[in-house]
Amino acid sequence: MSDSLSPVDRAKFAAAKRASAFVESGMKVGLGTGSTAAWLVKCLGERVKDEGLDIIAVPTSSRTAALAEEVGIRITTLDEARWLDLTIDGADEYDPELNLIKGGGGALLQEKIVATASDRMIVIADATKKVDTLGAFPLPVEVIGFGMRTTRMLIEELLDGLDVMGTKAEPRMTDGGLYVTDEGNHILDLHLGRIGNARQLALVLNQIPGVVENGLFIDICDVIVTGHGDGRVEMRDINTGEEDVTRVLEPEIDNLFSEQAD
């Protein structure tokens, strides 16, 4: 049974299982990247196998693409799909207005493109991702390699005049070198502590030469599905005001994804 999972992983799985019910045969679906999104892919794979669910998916990273193919989900590119019925993805933080910080898993650029090319975005998360104000989680900013030190300096100078608690921008590292995104770029993680005006920050960051995209998702998320360690799931639709709480009974499932970030 799912009792063998940690409370956080049970919460992620519960949220993913609840969100998978939004997916219907014939849909074109964006698949996010990260630990919670990986649970979703597994849940959809089970539905493909057991129910004959017929969907076409657009993955937001090479990792998600590999997992989707592994569990039997047909994948395509966004250029081929053109427009999606919905995207389901995780988040590193979300606030009461369902604004998000994303990019902990390093796929924020493709995630934002796919999410904005969808009729709806559903976010799945465990309860620890809910915050009153964004900013405790470092904000990822994808930048090109050319002039990266200058871009970093410009970002820190910009932050000094904005309503944030910190201004430090650190290059993301992996295996002793700079992290490289699927698009061949790098990521600066901004340690802000608190973001007083997320909408303003999202706009001004993208005006800096060298910045490709930032991890603030403003007015993109439509539905939040929040899982809890006891199996309860809260769902909130910001457009309709609909809210409900259900309990998801998890089957036994291998804990394969606890080391990934959203």
Side-chain angles (χ1 to χ4, degrees):
M1 294 294 292
S2 58
D3 292 340
S4 61
L5 300 176
S6 71
V8 171
D9 282 322
R10 291 182 71 233
K12 292 178 179 181
F13 174 56
K17 189 168 181 64
R18 173 68 177 87
S20 69
F22 286 91
V23 179
E24 302 174 359
S25 283
M27 280 187 170
K28 294 183 285 188
V29 181
L31 300 177
T33 295
S35 58
T36 315
W39 290 114
L40 171 78
V41 176
K42 293 287 285 187
C43 288
L44 292 177
E46 286 297 310
R47 291 191 59 197
V48 169
K49 178 183 176 182
D50 297 340
E51 305 172 20
L53 180 70
D54 183 18
I55 61 173
I56 298 177
V58 174
T60 56
S61 68
S62 55
R63 283 171 290 158
T64 298
L67 179 60
E69 290 186 311
E70 179 184 324
V71 300
I73 298 173
R74 290 189 296 150
I75 66 172
T76 187
T77 65
L78 184 58
D79 283 337
E80 288 293 327
R82 301 184 66 178
W83 195 260
L84 306 178
D85 295 289
L86 60 87
T87 286
I88 306 178
D89 202 349
D92 298 302
E93 284 185 347
Y94 71 90
D95 70 11
E97 286 71 47
L98 304 194
N99 295 316
L100 321 170
I101 286 181
K102 289 183 52 55
L108 67 97
L109 177 59
Q110 292 190 23
E111 287 174 334
K112 188 174 281 191
I113 292 171
V114 169
T116 55
S118 305
D119 287 337
R120 286 198 300 170
M121 182 189 190
I122 299 171
V123 167
I124 48 179
D126 64 88
T128 65
K129 306 299 174 61
K130 183 179 181 179
V131 297
D132 292 328
T133 304
L134 298 176
F137 190 92
L139 174 64
V141 177
E142 187 159 337
V143 299
I144 66 171
F146 178 81
M148 183 174 169
R149 288 186 179 180
T150 301
T151 303
R152 179 183 181 184
M153 178 188 69
L154 291 171
I155 289 174
E156 290 180 335
E157 288 181 353
L158 171 74
L159 294 173
D160 193 48
L162 296 179
D163 186 9
V164 295
M165 290 179 62
T167 61
K168 189 174 184 180
E170 289 189 338
R172 185 176 298 184
M173 309 296 289
T174 183
D175 298 326
L178 288 171
Y179 180 87
V180 180
T181 71
D182 279 356
E183 299 301 316
N185 300 314
H186 304 299
I187 288 180
L188 295 174
D189 288 313
L190 312 189
H191 296 265
L192 307 178
R194 178 186 58 82
I195 300 172
N197 189 330
R199 187 182 305 276
Q200 177 194 43
L201 180 58
L203 290 172
V204 297
L205 279 173
N206 282 11
Q207 294 176 10
I208 295 177
V211 170
V212 180
E213 189 52 84
N214 67 81
L216 286 166
F217 283 50
I218 309 298
D219 298 333
I220 296 176
C221 174
D222 298 289
V223 176
I224 184 74
V225 179
T226 307
H228 297 267
D230 62 1
R232 288 180 300 114
V233 177
E234 300 175 65
M235 189 280 292
R236 177 186 169 210
D237 187 320
I238 198 168
N239 298 313
T240 66
E242 179 186 358
E243 297 185 26
D244 69 41
V245 179
T246 57
R247 183 173 295 277
V248 175
L249 301 177
E250 305 92 333
E252 186 172 355
I253 184 168
D254 290 334
N255 183 6
L256 300 177
F257 313 111
S258 60
E259 299 303 319
Q260 300 185 63
D262 291 307

